[in-house]
Amino acid sequence: MHHDVDDVHDAYPIIPSGTAVLLLAGSSGRVETHRADLLAAHGARVRAIRWFGGVGQRPAPHDVPLELFFDHLDVLRRDHDRVAIMGTSFGAEAALVTAAVHPVDATIALSPSSVVWSGFSAGSWSSHWTLDGTPLPAVAFDPEWTPTDDPPEYLGLYARSLERDPDAAAAAAIAVEDISGEVLLVAGGDDRVWPSIRFSDAIVSRRAAQGRITMLITLPEAGHRVLLPGETAPEGGTAMARGGTPDADRRLGSLAWGEISRLLDLRAR
């Protein structure tokens, strides 16, 4: 597996907990170096990757091969008994889709989606993800929707697109019941990007129907961005309304930290 050094950030703990984590950002496309270093400081071996827009990668979240994630997980699995995948937003969607078809011991999805969404690149729409070269069923966006806010609030777009074609939404549902390891969802009730509480409830229900337990941590005032203890809100990224406040987003991250620590065998500092 060849990759550009700027597309992968490997963080190693001084005192290893024995858990390795594949860490995925959302639509920003960034490599989550600060979060990787934070988790490593508490004992996890972390690999944060760029999964689109990098060397030899898809230019946008569009037809991204799930095999990309499998390869990195397999590298981590060579040296670790416990391997987790952790992602935010589109990265949470990636984490859940991946864990449904590839063995991981823990899946942590921050501001998740319960369905696969469409991506746009080079003038055409397709699924965010492919498996064995085949695009996964995806929800198409409502072409009639236009933002009324500045910066735009996309919550209405996602909600309307789900309701526009219920059959397509059902076909695009992530097979979260096939995730064998533990699953932790973290979602803010004031998420203005997409309805992550609604998505989280759907994931919990779908897994519960198969007798699988899912942990869900929420805070009504928090938005799309979850800030873990010691993190500051990143600069840049796409201009959009995310909801919440820095204080509420930090409180949600603090609430989630105990379960994240338990799942990843993190140590207190």
Side-chain angles (χ1 to χ4, degrees):
M1 183 170 52
H2 301 286
H3 47 248
D4 190 273
V5 67
D6 294 334
D7 293 334
V8 174
H9 176 77
D10 284 306
Y12 295 91
I14 295 169
I15 304 170
S17 72
T19 302
V21 185
L22 179 62
L23 185 61
L24 309 174
S27 60
S28 69
R30 73 169 68 87
V31 179
E32 295 270 36
T33 53
H34 295 298
R35 181 164 285 175
D37 292 345
L38 171 72
L39 296 173
H42 291 272
R45 150 79 167 102
V46 188
R47 170 166 285 190
I49 65 167
R50 192 186 313 284
W51 52 269
F52 69 91
V55 176
Q57 293 181 347
R58 304 293 294 161
H62 172 273
D63 285 338
V64 174
L66 291 179
E67 288 82 0
L68 169 71
F69 307 121
F70 300 170
D71 289 346
H72 285 289
L73 288 167
D74 291 346
V75 168
L76 296 173
R77 180 68 74 183
R78 283 181 212 151
D79 301 314
H80 296 83
D81 293 333
R82 278 180 57 76
V83 175
I85 188 167
M86 178 173 178
T88 298
S89 194
F90 283 0
E93 183 188 322
L96 292 163
V97 171
T98 298
V101 289
H102 197 80
V104 294
D105 299 290
T107 305
I108 299 171
L110 311 179
S111 305
S113 172
S114 58
V115 299
V116 171
W117 287 97
S118 300
F120 186 79
S121 182
S124 69
W125 287 93
S126 183
S127 175
H128 274 169
W129 323 109
T130 65
L131 182 60
D132 297 327
T134 303
L136 299 187
V139 179
F141 288 107
D142 183 346
E144 318 264 291
W145 183 87
T146 50
T148 53
D149 315 271
D150 185 25
E153 185 176 295
Y154 290 105
L155 179 63
L157 171 63
Y158 283 99
R160 264 184 46 181
S161 301
L162 279 175
E163 284 145 18
R164 191 168 142 258
D165 190 342
D167 291 342
I174 301 168
V176 290
E177 68 277 11
D178 293 337
I179 302 175
S180 55
E182 291 194 81
V183 176
L184 170 64
L185 311 175
V186 184
D190 189 42
D191 189 334
R192 299 283 163 183
V193 176
W194 64 14
S196 55
I197 294 278
R198 172 178 173 176
F199 289 147
S200 297
D201 288 342
I203 291 166
V204 169
S205 297
R206 191 176 174 111
R207 283 175 54 81
Q210 299 298 317
R212 292 197 187 273
I213 293 166
T214 312
M215 287 166 291
L216 170 57
I217 295 176
T218 65
L219 187 71
E221 314 87 80
H224 190 70
R225 191 177 263 159
V226 181
L227 296 174
L228 300 179
E231 289 185 334
T232 52
E235 299 295 321
T238 310
M240 65 175 86
R242 292 181 171 84
T245 63
D247 177 60
D249 300 347
R250 267 193 289 273
R251 278 189 288 131
L252 178 56
S254 296
L255 280 175
W257 182 251
E259 283 302 328
I260 291 170
S261 298
R262 186 184 67 76
L263 283 182
L264 303 182
D265 293 325
L266 300 183
R267 295 176 163 80
R269 287 175 76 192

